[in-house]
């Protein structure tokens, strides 16, 4: 059983994942034709579960849509005491070190994980636990807001395996972690 932690996310040109007010309305700046998913559904077919932080979970809860995930969602949080009743059985609260969290999730048979949320992705990167990243860059400079990358204790090298342009404006890079 191969274990793999993957990221699928969008950033601005200046590496932001949200604006100065933690908003993501800028993701609608480029009209996406109906039915076009830019590889997202193919990506999610190859994962067993999602791991996201509390902030991302609460953001998704605030969307005026049905719960968008068909696979289990593990919510990393030290401050949440329970998952809202409306999402019991869909989302599961986990905490501890990333090693402990991964051990718990892997024990349930989930080995191919989608890591989502800025702080969560940064935590996984700091521990060198990201194997693959698919990053779509939007042609906008937000000038502030949370970034995808922060200071890390060591250099992490990735190999570009694919790059694709969508709608003549969005650049999606697929990167794999280069390990010695």
């Amino acid at each position: 059983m191969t274990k793999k932690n993957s990221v699928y996310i969008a950033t601005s040109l200046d590496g932001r994942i949200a604006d100065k007010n933690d908003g993501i309305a800028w993701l609608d700046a480029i009209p996406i034709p109906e039915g076009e998913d830019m590889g997202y559904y193919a990506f999610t077919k190859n994962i067993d579960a999602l791991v996201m932080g509390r902030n991302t979970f609460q953001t998704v809860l605030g969307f005026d849509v049905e719960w968008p995930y068909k696979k289990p969602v593990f919510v990393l949080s030290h401050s949440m005491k329970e998952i809202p009743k409306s999402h019991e059985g869909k989302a599961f609260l986990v905490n501890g070190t990333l090693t402990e969290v991964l051990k718990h999730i892997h024990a349930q048979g989930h080995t191919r994980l989608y890591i989502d949320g800025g702080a969560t992705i940064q935590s996984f990167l700091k521990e060198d636990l990201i194997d693959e990243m698919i990053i779509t860059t939007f042609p906008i400079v937000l000038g502030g807001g949370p970034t995808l990358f922060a200071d890390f204790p060591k250099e992490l090298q990735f190999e570009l395996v694919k790059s694709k342009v969508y709608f003549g404006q969005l650049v999606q890079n697929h990167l794999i972690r280069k390990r010695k």
Side-chain angles (χ1 to χ4, degrees):
M1 119 175 90
T2 302
K3 296 175 183 168
K4 183 171 155 183
N5 298 324
S6 302
V7 170
Y8 186 103
I9 197 163
T11 69
S12 63
L13 281 175
D14 54 344
R16 310 290 175 172
I17 56 173
D19 65 22
K20 293 175 185 175
N21 299 313
D22 288 330
I24 56 172
W26 59 273
L27 291 170
D28 295 325
I30 306 295
I32 309 296
E34 190 170 326
E36 175 61 64
D37 71 348
M38 299 183 347
Y40 178 77
Y41 291 109
F43 169 78
T44 59
K45 282 182 183 178
N46 292 313
I47 62 147
D48 301 322
L50 288 87
V51 178
M52 66 177 59
R54 176 187 51 82
N55 289 339
T56 301
F57 177 67
Q58 290 177 323
T59 297
V60 174
L61 288 180
F63 293 156
D64 190 22
V65 297
E66 261 185 62
W67 185 241
Y69 307 110
K70 306 281 187 251
K71 305 202 176 166
V73 174
F74 293 90
V75 181
L76 282 172
S77 179
H78 295 290
S79 61
M80 277 181 75
K81 300 300 179 211
E82 60 186 24
I83 295 293
K85 298 260 186 252
S86 60
H87 289 76
E88 286 179 353
K90 299 174 186 174
F92 308 90
L93 195 58
V94 290
N95 59 42
T97 67
L98 291 183
T99 302
E100 294 166 341
V101 166
L102 288 174
K103 185 176 180 181
H104 171 75
I105 295 170
H106 292 158
Q108 295 180 44
H110 308 298
T111 58
R112 298 170 303 158
L113 305 176
Y114 172 7
I115 312 303
D116 197 17
T120 301
I121 293 167
Q122 287 182 12
S123 294
F124 272 73
L125 283 166
K126 283 180 184 171
E127 299 290 325
D128 196 8
L129 294 170
I130 297 295
D131 303 299
E132 168 187 51
M133 293 192 293
I134 299 171
I135 303 171
T136 304
T137 304
F138 277 63
I140 184 171
V141 175
L142 295 174
T147 60
L148 178 57
F149 301 108
D151 290 334
F152 299 117
K154 66 178 185 176
E155 182 179 284
L156 302 174
Q157 291 188 3
F158 286 81
E159 178 180 348
L160 179 66
V161 293
K162 184 178 179 184
S163 188
K164 186 169 182 181
V165 177
Y166 287 93
F167 323 116
Q169 299 186 68
L170 305 178
V171 178
Q172 185 178 82
N173 291 312
H174 186 164
L175 305 131
I176 303 291
R177 177 74 171 96
K178 281 179 70 172
R179 300 190 192 278
K180 294 180 181 179

